Amino acid sequence: MPAQSSFSYTYSFPADNGDPSQLDLVLTKDTPYGSAGDIIDAWCFNASAAILGNRYSDTYTGDIYAIEPYALSASGVSTLSGLNLANMGSINWLLNWYPDGDPTLAPGVVQAAIWTLLGQDWSRLEDFAGNPDPSQVYALAGRALTNFNYVAKAGESIGVLFDPVVNGEHSQPMLI
């Protein structure tokens, strides 16, 4: 499936715009998802994919994909290989539930729960995720799985995946 649009952004890590997320993307040009200068909350999608380039000063460009399992499976994005894409409904629920569902949860717990839902081992990245409490991570992932077929309703958020390419190589995909 071809990408829906292209985008261009820089990173801000850790997230510093006051909203709870693992990191922020700062759009450097207008997209269907925001205008140049907008700050968008983001989550790393693949625990084993690197953020290529200098995330603090480089501008990343790439494509945007819907996070439905069929769209991602057909995208051909190499950094999605081996991920459990069947849990996209649960991840969409999680993005809509957090932070209002439990504002006391640290963003790192949500980041680790996303990786858990994708079937990834996040333990080697505990520092990046803020050393989350594993019991909170697994409880949140379990709760999200009870919303396996979640479909966003009018006025709710729909997750999309930014797929940056740096020097012809796919970098860390970002879930927003």
Side-chain angles (χ1 to χ4, degrees):
M1 174 179 205
Q4 297 174 352
S5 182
S6 64
F7 69 97
S8 179
Y9 66 91
T10 59
Y11 287 99
S12 176
F13 176 80
D16 62 4
N17 74 340
D19 291 334
S21 63
Q22 192 62 18
L23 49 88
D24 294 328
L25 302 183
V26 182
L27 294 177
T28 56
K29 71 176 191 175
D30 293 346
T31 74
Y33 305 99
S35 302
D38 285 354
I39 299 172
I40 298 175
D41 295 326
W43 309 91
C44 291
F45 199 71
N46 185 336
S48 62
I51 297 175
L52 303 176
N54 183 337
R55 64 181 174 218
Y56 301 107
S57 62
D58 287 350
T59 296
Y60 293 80
T61 59
D63 296 315
I64 300 170
Y65 296 91
I67 65 164
E68 290 115 10
Y70 68 89
L72 293 178
S73 296
S75 71
V77 176
S78 61
T79 51
L80 303 183
S81 178
L83 301 182
N84 181 4
L85 300 179
N87 286 336
M88 293 299 96
S90 297
I91 292 172
N92 253 334
W93 174 84
L94 181 57
L95 294 176
N96 278 287
W97 176 83
Y98 179 77
D100 296 332
D102 185 350
T104 65
L105 283 178
V109 172
V110 176
Q111 178 65 76
I114 289 169
W115 286 333
T116 298
L117 290 165
L118 291 168
Q120 300 178 319
D121 176 16
W122 52 269
S123 61
R124 66 180 177 78
L125 299 171
E126 286 181 349
D127 288 342
F128 174 76
N131 297 309
D133 178 346
S135 65
Q136 287 183 320
V137 172
Y138 296 122
L140 183 56
R143 185 162 183 200
L145 284 171
T146 66
N147 295 279
F148 183 75
N149 291 319
Y150 182 81
V151 176
K153 298 164 192 64
E156 291 184 324
S157 298
I158 298 172
V160 295
L161 187 76
F162 281 178
D163 174 38
V165 177
V166 179
N167 297 324
E169 189 175 348
H170 289 275
S171 185
Q172 171 64 254
M174 292 292 157
L175 177 64
I176 66 159

